[in-house]
Amino acid sequence: MSKNLLIIESPNKIETITRFLKNDDFKIMATIGHIRDLSTRGMGFDEKTLEPKWIIPSGKKKGIRNEKSKQEIINEIKTEASKTDKIYLATDPDREGEAIAWHVYEILSDKDKAKCSRITFNEITESAINDALKHPRNIDLRWVQSQFARRILDRLVGYRLSKLVREKMRATSAGRVQTVALKFIYDREKEIEKFKETKWWTVDVVLENNAKLILREISAKLKSQVNLHNNSETEGSGIDFVDEASAKQVLDSLNKSFNIYAIDDPMQKNNNPREPYKTSTLQQDAINKLGWNVGKVTMVTQHLYEGIKVNGVHTALISYPRTDSIRIATHFSDMAKKFILGKYGDKYFQMRLFSSNKKKATENVQDAHEAIRVIDPFVTPESLKKLITHDEYALYKLIWIRTIAAFMTPARYETTIVRLQSNDSKFYTYNRRLIFDGYRKIYQHYQDNQIEYDIQIEKLKVGHTLKMLSAQIKEHTSQPPPRFNQASLIKTLDEVGVGRPSTYRSMANMAVQRGYAKLDNRAYVMLPMGNAVIEGLNQYFPEILNAEFTKHMEEHLDDIADKDVRWKEWILEDFKPKFDKELNLAQEKIKKVEPKLVGRACPKCGKPLVYRNSKRTGIQFIGCSDFPRCKYAEFPNALKQVILDEKCPLCGNNLVERANRRGQKFIGCSNYPKCHYIRNVNKENKNDPNKTKNDQLVNKNTKIVKRNPKLKSKASENKKKPWQ
């Protein structure tokens, strides 16, 4: 029997934590997320009192092998709790983790509750865990109440709005925060539709030393003869023309040589490193620089936090990845200083203190834990390159460089302005050179405006003449605002204070998953159903879709956690009455969208076929108008097939290349459903089904199932066939 019981969320942390507690008498158990949830019957809470109705979810989570049911986990926790002296609730250091700790506490007996303490650690290291064990505390009920309020508010809005859009608009769902993200995409699309392009022309001159000139002042003789285009008098701007004729008139007036009439004194400017990562900025950088999607970023980041095998040892590499803070712990600052001084020298180190409250829009950051940083600066990306996967290495390198660079000195640039004239028209160019690399010594891939530009300044003097190498008139066209991609959407949501680190992933994915938008070259493009949902909801629920209103709701949830605000009264007295009134009006006024007919009868019951959308994925399919009495359905993607010049190894019929309802291609037997032979498109048959990895051979007549026992694909773990 162990003297101490440590309860965490993820089983992936157990091996890492065990290494640090190997000399102590600890039993470590994982809840695998929440052990209780709101009831799935009705709203999941009493609508008059908002009292939550908790249930223990039945079944097991799909995709995880050998996972126990929640009831089994609860039973094991209770058994171990009764045999131990102390219980440490060490779930994640955020509000959701606090709520999970409370649920574990609540399922215990009164005797075992007295043994409980709450501890948190921001990184899975020996020092962090031991420090947490030395500073146990009670469960923060304000954080728990804030989490309850969030869940209930999301259901109160999401369940009822989803029912409305399903009944009236034949859409899939709507939500308190995710629909606001969709509104951003919708508004940007409207901006693009309203955009009217404008044209302007410039005179572009290149000199013999490859210096590109910027026109600053037109000859006095020509000023009254040309049409200018919104030109600024500020230094650094150029002169644009409304029409090509004006630009040509200036170009024709120029000589073939340009005289240097002034060289300004050199100016030095620092280029500072960026602050450490928080969840939103890490997601943006990984999407932009690594070409990933937000789901992949979240998954790999979690692996690096929970711990991965390095030389056979389960090792955690980064701090907690769900944070809105850029704060760095003092002990890590000291480690970073030691690393930079030892590796690069005194002139490369600069101690910094990072504050989270920089912008008004983000003054409501939780700041519950640190920025996302590496655990040990001495564990360099190159030292891990051959020991971890390519994806883990790429993301760790991104985090390591950003973390270390934050404590390095600025890069310093020297800029010199050179002023030239030709036939009384004045131009300028500049020379920019790096005089001290600072943080850029390790941040070579960091792209910004501080780019070196060499015009051989040391060879230039006032009075020198430079010959024209080329000159042309260039036409410019204004561009519409760019469509959002996942990175820019998350950035915008973060800037306006909508959502939280734990919600950015779902907010970025919802539009596509629900069939409201699609990704075209990684950019969101609104689809008709998405337009209908936003236009319908915006008419009757303008506040729900308003970013500022949603931001204030997030601030109120923060106040519940930090200032002991009474959350039930706020929802019941302030929010719910107005929302109920708006909902009733919408139910009355919004006209129900009739289903679009396919033009064919259902082969099963004879009723008309209609186009429908999946409630889970948003994908359009053909279904019977008499649903749910008749459940006939056609998934157009799954019906498309190409007959191959290859025979099925089980029954001898031709094989076909098909696609499932998600559009994923596979090779199957044309004799389906009598023969269930399938394999991946990129695998060869070799006339032996047992030699083809990931093949699943099923013959219904003989009830034989052949699988490669050494490989367990995700499809088999989920117990789904590829065509489903």
Side-chain angles (χ1 to χ4, degrees), residues 394-409:
L395 192 61
Y396 182 77
K397 182 178 180 180
L398 203 66
I399 297 171
W400 186 91
I401 289 176
R402 179 86 164 222
T403 305
I404 303 304
F407 290 95
M408 296 180 74
T409 47

Side-chain angles (χ1 to χ4, degrees), residues 82-94:
S82 66
K83 298 187 295 185
T84 194
D85 296 333
K86 292 183 179 180
I87 302 170
Y88 295 98
L89 305 175
T91 47
D92 286 351
D94 55 15

Side-chain angles (χ1 to χ4, degrees), residues 5 7 81 84-89 108 112 115-118:
L5 176 61
I7 298 176
T84 194
D85 296 333
K86 292 183 179 180
I87 302 170
Y88 295 98
L89 305 175
L108 299 177
D112 292 333
K115 306 174 186 177
C116 288
S117 295
R118 172 76 167 123

Side-chain angles (χ1 to χ4, degrees), residues 6 8 13 17 90 93 119-124 128-129 132 305 320:
L6 185 73
I8 59 177
K13 303 176 188 175
I17 296 174
I119 65 170
T120 60
F121 37 85
N122 190 56
E123 59 184 39
I124 306 176
I129 294 170
Y305 165 67
Y320 191 59

Side-chain angles (χ1 to χ4, degrees), residues 110 114 117 238 254 277 291 454 495 531 585 609 715:
D110 290 341
S117 295
L254 300 178
Y277 281 129
D454 184 14
E495 288 175 345
N531 288 328
L585 181 64
L609 291 176

Side-chain angles (χ1 to χ4, degrees), residues 50 53 172 185 286 347 351 376 425 559 569:
L50 301 186
K53 298 177 182 179
T172 51
I185 301 171
K347 62 182 181 179
M351 179 59 74
D376 186 351
S425 289
D559 288 342
E569 286 79 357

Side-chain angles (χ1 to χ4, degrees), residues 1-7 25-30 68 71-89 104 107-109 111-113 115-116:
M1 181 182 76
S2 300
K3 292 182 180 180
N4 303 298
L5 176 61
L6 185 73
I7 298 176
D25 194 4
F26 270 90
K27 170 77 174 181
I28 305 175
M29 301 183 72
K68 298 171 183 176
Q71 187 62 63
E72 290 173 316
I73 292 172
I74 289 173
N75 293 341
E76 290 184 1
I77 289 175
K78 293 169 99 172
T79 299
E80 290 295 329
S82 66
K83 298 187 295 185
T84 194
D85 296 333
K86 292 183 179 180
I87 302 170
Y88 295 98
L89 305 175
V104 173
I107 57 101
L108 299 177
S109 66
K111 180 180 178 182
D112 292 333
K113 285 179 180 178
K115 306 174 186 177
C116 288

